[in-house]
Amino acid sequence: MTTEQYKEAVEWLFVQAPNYQTDGEKAYKPGLDNIIRLCGFFGNPQEKIKCIHIGGTNGKGSTSNMLASVLQESGYKVGLYNSPHLIDFTERIKINGNNCDKTFVYDFIQKLKKLPEDIQPSFFEFTTIMAFEYFYRQQADIAIIEVGLGGRLDSTNIITPLISAITNVQLDHQNILGDTIEEIAAEKAGIVKPGVPVISGDENESVKAIIRSKAAQEHAVFIDASLPDTDLVSDLQGNYQKNNIKVVMALLQELKKLNYTVSDENVREGLLHVHRNTGFIGRWFEFSRFPLIICDTGHNQAGLEHVFAQLNAMDRHKHIILGFVNDKKIDEVMKILPQNAEFYFAKPAIHRGRHPEEYRTLLEEAKIPFTIFDSVQLAYLAAKEQCTDEEMIFIGGSNFVVGEFLEKNLEISK
């Protein structure tokens, strides 16, 4: 298999299989019937691996990568399934921080072409079965599976994990999951399985009550990870990581009950070396120090509020590059923009990317200093030209904005 063959296969997959990341709601296939048939076609590899299931609105990626890092430090062979990818498709499926083998991806995509006509998977359904099969073939000791969207009807919900966790519940994807926190919490709680302990990291009492009730229905132990405090820290920066660490610690406590061996030293080292162990980037990622350049993939309202609050706490002038997809409520974002900043709005280079000219009026009403660009890279080059070493650049608003920036600039910085 050549590099060109691999690229052509992945491009074919993006074109053939409806993809929520690029196509939006029309690509979302709720329900498990399709993934059940798909897994059956491949011999149900999900039944042959031990899994941890992690859902929630924000923090799924950080929590799953921190947990993976600790388990790797403990000597386990750890599978990790996250989405979306930032630069290359293989980032979605990892073993001990190493991206999925490209030859495996190529060969597996060839099998997609031979599926029965009654199985027409979405992009996410197909990548999910690909992850299950890879972890099985690689004989992972444990696989950490991140929910794609929601929970109850998400294709990852075909697994019966050792433990489930729900990091938090916020308003996001209301057009699919429900208009209220409570409705969304009920969807997220759909990952609770009979007799499988579930960990909740949310501080909202109504959210806790919904997850606790679902756990009681399923005769599953409910663990509240929002209560205990911890002084443990991670190399994943961002004030919001404190809550994610609490969820990780609760997960480890449950794993110890299942005879997984994890020392205090493993925990400390694992949390401090997530980047090194798993290759996870994108969450308050320090791209450079002079000038300080921070990337963060937070994109829903709650995630942006956390990120913008941390930016406001930084006593330096900011050059902020933002871009959004079509379904983003720009008027809500305008209410929480950081202070002491000038803004560079850019169109993400995907089909769903929204050109800032479409919301220029909202920007003008916000009375902020801004410039509009046709691409993220043009916005970055303009910000870099203006930024001094005492100032900073922030890049975010969407996974696609961060991914586009890193793809263009990560290798240059090395």
Side-chain angles (χ1 to χ4, degrees):
M1 181 210 67
T2 65
T3 300
E4 192 59 36
Q5 285 176 314
Y6 164 75
K7 289 181 178 178
E8 287 176 0
V10 172
E11 286 172 4
W12 181 91
L13 178 60
F14 271 96
V15 171
Q16 297 297 319
N19 178 8
Y20 182 84
Q21 302 302 330
T22 56
D23 299 327
E25 184 180 356
K26 65 182 180 181
Y28 179 60
K29 291 191 174 184
L32 301 181
D33 290 347
N34 215 39
I35 190 69
I36 288 170
R37 291 197 300 272
L38 188 58
C39 286
F41 180 83
F42 286 100
N44 289 307
Q46 80 284 358
E47 296 177 358
K48 305 169 188 175
I49 55 177
K50 295 178 180 178
C51 299
I52 302 290
H53 206 189
I54 298 182
T57 303
N58 295 313
K60 298 187 295 293
S62 296
T63 299
S64 58
N65 277 268
M66 284 192 280
L67 178 62
S69 181
V70 171
L71 291 174
Q72 286 172 225
E73 289 284 344
S74 306
Y76 293 103
K77 189 174 188 179
V78 185
L80 184 60
Y81 179 48
N82 292 134
S83 63
H85 62 271
L86 291 180
I87 299 173
D88 188 79
F89 175 84
T90 55
E91 295 168 29
R92 293 170 178 257
I93 304 169
K94 295 181 178 182
I95 295 280
N96 280 11
N98 296 311
N99 289 6
C100 181
D101 180 73
K102 289 184 177 181
T103 300
F104 170 82
V105 171
Y106 174 82
D107 291 342
F108 209 79
I109 290 174
Q110 306 318 304
K111 295 178 182 179
L112 172 61
K113 300 175 182 179
K114 301 176 183 177
L115 285 175
E117 289 187 4
D118 66 325
I119 306 177
Q120 296 184 344
S122 68
F123 179 90
F124 188 75
E125 286 169 335
F126 191 70
T127 55
T128 298
I129 180 59
M130 186 186 294
F132 294 155
E133 179 71 9
Y134 192 66
F135 299 149
Y136 168 61
R137 289 195 195 181
Q138 293 290 316
Q139 297 183 308
D141 295 318
I142 193 164
I144 302 167
I145 308 296
E146 178 189 331
V147 172
L149 196 160
R152 180 176 65 93
L153 301 176
D154 187 76
S155 59
T156 64
N157 206 27
I158 193 174
I159 64 174
T160 300
L162 302 174
I163 312 162
S164 301
I166 300 170
T167 55
N168 55 61
V169 178
Q170 304 288 346
L171 291 175
D172 195 21
H173 300 298
Q174 291 100 308
N175 54 337
I176 294 173
L177 303 179
D179 293 325
T180 67
I181 291 287
E182 289 73 22
E183 288 175 330
I184 295 172
E187 289 296 312
K188 303 283 187 188
I191 69 171
V192 179
K193 300 291 193 308
V196 176
V198 58
I199 293 160
S200 170
D202 204 299
E203 298 177 349
N204 186 318
E205 291 300 329
S206 65
V207 169
K208 288 185 194 180
I210 289 166
I211 300 172
R212 186 184 285 112
S213 174
K214 178 63 174 177
Q217 290 174 30
E218 301 292 351
H219 304 288
V221 174
F222 172 85
I223 298 135
D224 186 351
S226 70
L227 296 176
D229 206 357
T230 178
D231 58 0
L232 289 166
V233 294
S234 172
D235 63 335
L236 297 190
Q237 300 299 306
N239 296 337
Y240 48 77
Q241 298 295 3
K242 295 175 183 177
N243 291 334
N244 295 331
I245 290 173
K246 292 181 183 182
V247 175
V248 171
M249 296 308 297
L251 282 162
L252 291 169
Q253 284 299 114
E254 291 305 304
L255 282 172
K256 288 178 181 178
K257 294 177 185 177
L258 298 173
N259 297 318
Y260 284 81
T261 302
V262 180
S263 70
D264 291 345
E265 182 69 11
N266 295 151
V267 174
R268 285 193 296 272
E269 288 297 303
L271 290 176
L272 286 172
H273 297 103
V274 181
H275 288 305
R276 181 190 71 191
N277 288 344
T278 74
F280 183 59
I281 57 176
R283 298 301 291 175
W284 204 261
F285 173 60
E286 188 177 287
F287 177 80
S288 78
R289 292 191 174 181
F290 301 103
L292 178 62
I293 301 177
I294 299 290
C295 305
D296 196 286
T297 56
H299 55 279
N300 56 44
Q301 197 71 5
L304 289 172
E305 284 176 3
H306 282 296
V307 170
F308 289 170
Q310 190 156 352
L311 282 171
N312 274 330
M314 301 177 74
D315 186 22
R316 60 171 74 198
H317 187 71
K318 306 163 190 74
H319 300 262
I320 297 179
I321 300 167
L322 296 173
F324 307 106
V325 293
N326 284 332
D327 56 0
K328 175 60 61 183
K329 296 181 178 178
I330 307 295
D331 55 336
E332 295 296 318
V333 177
M334 291 301 105
K335 298 174 184 176
I336 60 171
L337 289 176
Q339 305 299 309
N340 189 25
E342 51 192 289
F343 296 88
Y344 305 70
F345 290 92
K347 179 190 180 300
I350 61 164
H351 179 67
R352 289 172 61 216
R354 190 171 180 187
H355 200 289
E357 286 294 350
E358 296 178 21
Y359 51 88
R360 174 184 282 275
T361 301
L362 290 173
L363 298 177
E364 291 171 344
E365 289 173 352
K367 292 182 169 55
I368 57 171
F370 72 90
T371 313
I372 286 175
F373 297 88
D374 290 332
S375 74
V376 172
Q377 186 66 5
L378 288 174
Y380 168 62
L381 293 175
K384 190 176 180 183
E385 188 174 328
Q386 296 297 319
C387 187
T388 68
D389 281 352
E390 292 73 37
E391 299 175 346
M392 71 170 290
I393 296 173
F394 174 83
I395 301 154
S398 164
N399 288 296
F400 308 109
V401 170
V402 174
E404 190 176 333
F405 166 75
L406 292 176
E407 185 174 12
K408 292 281 188 182
N409 300 283
L410 199 54
E411 288 300 320
I412 296 172
S413 71
K414 291 181 179 179

